[in-house]
């Protein structure tokens, strides 16, 4: 692994972890259910996607199917999170 890949992995992992922490703080601190859904939907999805990207970059040289699995996981995340937040908004 090159130094550029290491820096890229560390940067995406740190940014993804930061966004997940921000989403969890937003779930605790925001006043109503709609603001909480916004925090979990936006920052949580992007944080998890960045963590998946960092793991794909890290393990891409091991197996070629890891790239496909990572992209499918990100696609599934972007597909299910808006649906879940929409259903929660309608139920509240």
């Amino acid at each position: 692994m090159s130094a550029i890949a290491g820096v890229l992995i560390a940067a995406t992992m740190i940014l993804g972890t930061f966004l997940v922490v921000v989403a969890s703080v937003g779930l605790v601190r925001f006043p109503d259910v709609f603001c909480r859904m916004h925090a979990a939907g936006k920052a949580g999805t992007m944080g998890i996607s960045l963590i998946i990207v960092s793991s794909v970059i890290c393990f891409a040289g091991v197996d070629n199917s890891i790239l496909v699995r990572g992209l499918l996981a990100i696609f599934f995340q972007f597909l299910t999170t808006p649906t879940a937040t929409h259903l929660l908004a309608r139920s509240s």
Side-chain angles (χ1 to χ4, degrees):
M1 178 177 9
S2 68
I4 295 173
V7 169
L8 188 61
I9 291 167
T12 55
M13 184 67 74
I14 290 170
L15 185 60
T17 305
F18 174 74
L19 287 173
V20 169
V21 169
V22 166
S24 62
V25 168
L27 284 174
V28 173
R29 298 285 298 176
F30 280 153
D32 60 349
V33 69
F34 299 110
C35 291
R36 290 178 183 166
M37 283 187 316
H38 182 75
K42 302 294 182 187
T45 302
M46 187 55 78
I48 290 173
S49 297
L50 284 173
I51 291 172
I52 293 171
V53 164
S54 68
S55 65
V56 165
I57 294 170
C58 183
F59 297 114
V62 176
D63 189 12
N64 291 334
S65 68
I66 292 176
L67 176 66
V68 175
R69 290 182 207 170
L71 291 176
L72 285 174
I74 292 171
F75 175 73
F76 183 73
Q77 185 71 29
F78 276 107
L79 186 70
T80 57
T81 303
T83 306
T85 55
H86 177 74
L87 289 174
L88 283 171
R90 288 189 52 107
S91 69
S92 65

